[in-house]
């Protein structure tokens, strides 16, 4: 152990040094506080013996400086003083000392005190090491959670957010949800609804939602039959996760009329068909094993057919509600579930949630809880996505408000979700994406945010431009951009993209009259000319806040 002895009397230093070296310590000597500070910086001793009365810089002035230099490292300071007045001893401790000894020093007591302080120092060092380990683990866990949240959010980003005839209640037991609810429109009308409850809780369970959502959105976009989708979800989950993980699930497919449903249940509690037409409630029991257990050859994807009438609904839940417990450890149970749905009330969904919350009150939640109600409905024109562009010209529009614009998402990926799954669009995907991105960015940056491209002349200009862009996006309010898509209306096999922003507009002659030079050194002002080179026709309105581009898909 390395000990710094600070005393202006040489004889005192010699006595202390001899006693300490005899028990195997390395000693460093200083005559005053100023020397002590310099030696402390150079040698970083484990303990300091500090005289109070010294020339140049006394012990009271030296101790705080040493403590500050030590930082988080516990370096005990034992004051050596011939003054036994209470005020002097209190000051020794108040200015940073950890202990004191009366002069002349009893070396046996000194050795005992040093050993005691070294035990404390060892414990403090161990505590600091453990604290650092915990900090590293905490940061690692935070990064893993952040990554997990990003991946999971991305995998669910295509979920249908506005589904008029579906109500849902989802309460996660932890940061990550092991329950998954997915919704998608059928290409020619109707709905797909999926509810799953994966084994376990938290991030480990939530990871299993990735293969399920990928299969769901890929196959529903193509209008595949529900039985085929369920079968592929089973195969994908079995290949993706360990054998110990599976997913109790329910899949509901509503046809285009909104009056017929098909239901597949594997491992979930019973689904309830509230039949308003007949004034009764029918159970649809789970007939299959959960997803991810059986091999594809043994998997049964058969579904129950249900006639739906206006006012009817299907109630689907995970086991979080029936297996929830109250403060006395009593379980909610399926009997209470059955009583809720059989009561004569107008809103079964609200009744179930009311009974559940009244039962559990403030009891801790031990599982993820999910409840879905799917209501019979009369489909509207907006519920139909026309896929067969060889037969039907079509048009659609999207309105993005300031909340969406602030997210600064990839607009091409958002719009591609609406495009038909046809070879024509796949072949020209890059062109469509470029045109969409350029026009949308122009509308946002120049139309809404009123940014000037001339800033982007050099690296500093680029930095200023994007700092200003970020600031204006954050402060954005009452703004919108509308995208209109038309296919085959004015001309066969031509996709028209019109983008309209709510900005003040600008003088379009500044860009329409500028020549397009591939070899020009400018780093700005080339976007619209690039769009013109990719399209049959590009037209701007006089105000400059609307642009229409036509792309031939031939």
């Amino acid at each position: 152990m390395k000990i710094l002895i600070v005393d202006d009397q040489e004889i005192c230093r010699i006595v202390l040094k001899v006693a300490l070296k005899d028990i195997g310590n390395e000693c460093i000597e200083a005559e005053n506080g100023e020397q002590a500070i310099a030696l402390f910086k150079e040698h970083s001793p484990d303990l300091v013996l500090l005289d109070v009365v010294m020339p140049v810089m006394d012990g009271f002035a030296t101790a705080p400086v040493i403590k500050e230099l030590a930082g988080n490292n516990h370096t005990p300071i034992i004051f050596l003083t011939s003054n036994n007045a209470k005020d002097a001893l209190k000051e020794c401790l108040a200015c940073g000392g950890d202990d004191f000894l009366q002069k002349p020093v009893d070396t046996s007591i000194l050795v005992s005190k040093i050993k005691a302080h070294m035990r404390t120092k060892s414990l403090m060092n161990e505590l600091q090491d453990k604290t650092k380990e915990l900090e590293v683990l905490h940061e690692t866990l935070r990064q893993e959670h952040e990554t997990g949240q990003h991946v999971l959010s991305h995998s669910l980003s295509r979920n249908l957010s506005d589904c008029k005839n579906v109500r849902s209640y989802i309460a996660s037991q932890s940061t990550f949800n092991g329950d998954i609810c997915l919704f998608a429109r059928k290409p020619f009308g109707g709905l797909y609804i999926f509810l799953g409850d994966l084994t376990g809780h938290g991030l480990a369970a939530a990871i299993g939602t990735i293969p399920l959502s990928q299969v769901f959105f890929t196959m529903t976009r193509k209008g595949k039959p529900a039985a085929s989708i369920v079968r592929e979800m089973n195969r994908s989950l079995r290949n993706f996760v360990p054998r110990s993980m599976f997913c109790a699930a329910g899949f509901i497919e509503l046809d285009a009329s909104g009056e017929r449903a098909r239901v597949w249940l594997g491992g979930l509690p019973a689904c309830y068909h509230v039949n308003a037409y007949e004034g009764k409630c029918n159970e649809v029991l789970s007939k299959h094993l959960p997803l991810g257990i059986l091999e594809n050859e043994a998997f049964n994807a058969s579904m129950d057919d249900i006639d739906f009438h206006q006012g009817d609904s299907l109630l689907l839940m995970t086991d979080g509600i029936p297996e929830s417990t109250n403060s006395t450890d009593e379980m909610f149970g399926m009997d209470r579930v059955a009583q809720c749905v059989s009561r004569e009330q107008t809103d079964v969904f609200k009744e179930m949630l009311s009974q559940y919350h009244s039962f559990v009150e403030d009891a801790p939640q031990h599982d993820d809880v999910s409840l879905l109600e799917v209501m019979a409905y009369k489909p509207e024109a907006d519920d139909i996505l026309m896929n067969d562009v060889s037969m039907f010209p079509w048009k659609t529009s999207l309105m993005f408000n300031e909340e969406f614009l602030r997210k600064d998402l990839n607009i091409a990926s958002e719009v591609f979700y609406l495009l038909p799954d046809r070879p024509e669009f796949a072949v020209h995907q890059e062109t469509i994406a470029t045109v969409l991105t350029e026009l949308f960015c122009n509308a946002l940056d120049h139309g809404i945010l009123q940014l000037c491209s001339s800033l982007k002349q050099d690296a500093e200009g680029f930095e200023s431009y994007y700092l200003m862009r970020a600031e204006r996006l954050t402060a954005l309010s009452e703004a919108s951009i509308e995208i209109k898509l038309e296919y085959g209306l004015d001309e066969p096999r031509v996709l028209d993209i019109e983008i309209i922003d709510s900005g003040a507009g600008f003088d379009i002659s500044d860009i329409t009259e500028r020549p397009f030079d591939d070899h020009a050194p400018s780093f700005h002002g080339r976007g619209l000319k690039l769009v013109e080179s990719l399209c049959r026709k590009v037209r701007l309105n006089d105000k400059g806040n609307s642009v229409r581009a036509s792309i031939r898909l031939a």
Side-chain angles (χ1 to χ4, degrees):
M1 186 169 60
K2 192 183 295 183
I3 299 176
L4 174 60
I5 302 171
V6 188
D7 199 311
D8 60 325
Q9 297 181 20
E10 184 178 7
I11 186 64
C12 292
R13 297 199 304 272
I14 291 172
V15 171
L16 293 173
K17 182 168 64 173
V18 170
L20 294 173
K21 282 192 171 182
D22 283 347
I23 57 173
N25 296 297
E26 177 187 348
C27 296
I28 307 162
E29 298 179 57
E31 296 180 5
N32 55 59
E34 194 175 86
Q35 287 183 9
I37 290 170
L39 290 171
F40 187 91
K41 292 178 180 178
E42 182 180 352
H43 296 281
S44 299
D46 301 301
L47 183 140
V48 178
L49 299 177
L50 184 61
D51 189 20
V52 174
V53 181
M54 296 181 293
V56 184
M57 190 174 184
D58 66 15
F60 292 144
T62 306
V65 179
I66 288 177
K67 282 295 185 182
E68 186 176 352
L69 291 172
N72 292 329
N73 293 322
H74 179 63
T75 304
I77 297 177
I78 300 177
F79 273 102
L80 308 176
T81 176
S82 56
N83 190 345
N84 61 0
K86 286 185 178 180
D87 290 342
L89 299 179
K90 284 170 61 177
E91 190 172 356
C92 288
L93 299 177
C95 69
D98 298 281
D99 207 340
F100 56 85
L101 273 172
Q102 294 287 332
K103 283 186 173 183
V105 174
D106 185 326
T107 55
S108 62
I109 295 177
L110 173 62
V111 170
S112 298
K113 282 182 176 285
I114 288 175
K115 288 181 178 178
H117 281 291
M118 286 302 98
R119 286 195 297 269
T120 302
K121 180 177 175 65
S122 178
L123 290 173
M124 291 292 291
N125 290 341
E126 185 177 344
L127 179 61
Q128 288 179 3
D129 290 341
K130 294 297 182 184
T131 300
K132 289 178 181 177
E133 288 180 16
L134 287 174
E135 289 174 350
V136 171
L137 288 173
H138 176 76
E139 179 60 20
T140 301
L141 184 62
R142 187 196 65 77
Q143 291 178 4
E144 288 178 352
H145 276 209
E146 185 177 312
T147 302
Q149 192 67 58
H150 175 79
V151 172
L152 294 171
S153 297
H154 179 73
S155 68
L156 299 178
S157 60
R158 290 178 288 174
N159 218 8
L160 184 61
S161 58
D162 182 21
C163 197
K164 297 176 183 177
N165 63 309
V166 176
R167 287 191 290 178
S168 63
Y169 172 82
I170 302 169
S172 176
Q173 186 253 340
S174 62
T175 304
F176 295 97
N177 202 338
D179 288 359
I180 177 173
C181 299
L182 303 174
F183 312 98
R185 285 196 179 95
K186 299 179 68 176
F188 290 96
L191 286 170
Y192 299 106
I193 301 106
F194 176 82
L195 176 63
D197 179 8
L198 285 125
T199 311
H201 311 289
L203 181 58
I207 286 173
T209 64
I210 296 173
L212 295 175
S213 61
Q214 286 178 337
V215 170
F216 180 85
F217 292 119
T218 299
M219 297 189 72
T220 56
R221 189 68 188 88
K222 297 177 180 179
K224 298 294 184 180
S228 299
I229 299 172
V230 172
R231 179 178 293 279
E232 182 59 21
M233 291 175 92
N234 175 76
R235 188 198 65 78
S236 181
L237 186 66
R238 183 171 173 81
N239 291 339
F240 188 85
V241 300
R243 290 289 180 265
S244 58
M245 182 178 287
F246 52 84
C247 180
F251 198 109
I252 298 173
E253 179 186 25
L254 292 185
D255 69 4
S257 71
E259 296 181 347
R260 180 171 292 276
R262 307 188 72 213
V263 179
W264 184 95
L265 282 183
L268 284 185
C271 172
Y272 291 90
H273 173 205
V274 182
N275 191 325
Y277 181 75
E278 297 180 3
K280 63 180 182 180
C281 181
N282 302 316
E283 275 190 337
V284 182
L285 298 175
S286 177
K287 300 177 181 177
H288 308 288
L289 290 174
L291 299 176
I293 293 178
L294 297 175
E295 293 283 0
N296 190 53
E297 296 76 13
F299 184 78
N300 186 349
S302 62
M303 307 184 76
D304 291 302
D305 290 314
I306 296 174
D307 288 329
F308 244 16
H309 303 277
Q310 200 70 25
D312 285 7
S313 64
L314 287 169
L315 204 67
L316 190 62
M317 70 191 76
T318 60
D319 60 12
I321 288 182
E323 293 185 4
S324 61
T325 56
N326 59 17
S327 56
T328 63
D329 211 28
E330 180 187 5
M331 188 177 290
F332 190 84
M334 288 303 298
D335 288 342
R336 282 190 176 86
V337 171
Q339 290 171 11
C340 290
V341 298
S342 62
R343 289 176 183 167
E344 294 184 2
Q345 71 277 320
T346 57
D347 198 325
V348 176
F349 182 81
K350 283 187 177 180
E351 176 70 15
M352 180 68 72
L353 287 182
S354 175
Q355 292 295 324
Y356 164 70
H357 287 125
S358 297
F359 178 80
V360 298
E361 292 184 326
D362 297 327
Q365 185 177 333
H366 299 295
D367 195 3
D368 301 317
V369 173
S370 296
L371 177 68
L372 290 181
E373 183 187 35
V374 182
M375 295 166 280
Y377 77 116
K378 184 176 181 180
E380 301 175 1
D382 291 344
D383 295 329
I384 300 175
L385 302 176
M386 292 300 188
N387 259 4
D388 194 347
V389 295
S390 64
M391 294 176 61
F392 304 107
W394 55 265
K395 67 177 181 178
T396 188
S397 65
L398 303 91
M399 180 69 75
F400 302 101
N401 61 16
E402 63 274 6
E403 183 178 352
F404 178 91
L405 298 178
R406 279 195 295 268
K407 294 179 181 177
D408 206 15
L409 300 176
N410 183 340
I411 192 62
S413 64
E414 298 294 322
V415 173
F416 269 122
Y417 176 70
L418 296 178
L419 296 179
D421 186 14
R422 295 282 300 183
E424 298 95 319
F425 291 90
V427 169
H428 295 87
Q429 180 174 328
E430 186 174 344
T431 298
I432 297 171
T434 301
V435 171
L436 269 170
T437 302
E438 286 289 343
L439 296 184
F440 188 88
C441 287
N442 280 344
L444 178 58
D445 288 9
H446 310 312
I448 301 292
L449 303 180
Q450 294 292 298
L451 294 168
C452 182
S453 288
S454 61
L455 284 172
K456 297 186 286 187
Q457 295 285 6
D458 51 28
E460 290 182 1
F462 266 92
E463 183 178 3
S464 299
Y465 181 93
Y466 284 107
L467 284 173
M468 191 181 301
R469 186 179 189 274
E471 291 173 359
R472 293 186 183 182
L473 269 179
T474 303
L476 190 62
S477 64
E478 296 183 358
S480 64
I481 294 179
E482 183 180 14
I483 298 179
K484 294 182 178 180
L485 301 172
E486 295 181 5
Y487 179 80
L489 292 178
D490 294 337
E491 199 173 347
R493 307 186 75 80
V494 170
L495 175 68
D496 289 297
I497 301 172
E498 184 177 6
I499 296 184
I500 307 165
D501 67 75
S502 61
F506 60 95
D507 184 2
I508 67 171
S509 63
D510 181 51
I511 55 175
T512 55
E513 296 174 7
R514 182 190 302 135
F516 181 65
D517 182 1
D518 280 329
H519 304 289
S522 175
F523 293 104
H524 65 88
R526 300 159 59 89
L528 191 59
K529 296 299 181 181
L530 173 62
V531 170
E532 289 176 344
S533 70
L534 296 172
C535 299
R536 292 182 67 253
K537 188 165 39 177
V538 177
R539 291 152 289 176
L540 284 88
N541 69 349
D542 294 336
K543 191 178 178 182
N545 66 345
S546 173
V547 58
R548 185 181 179 94
S550 301
I551 305 172
R552 176 171 291 281
L553 307 183

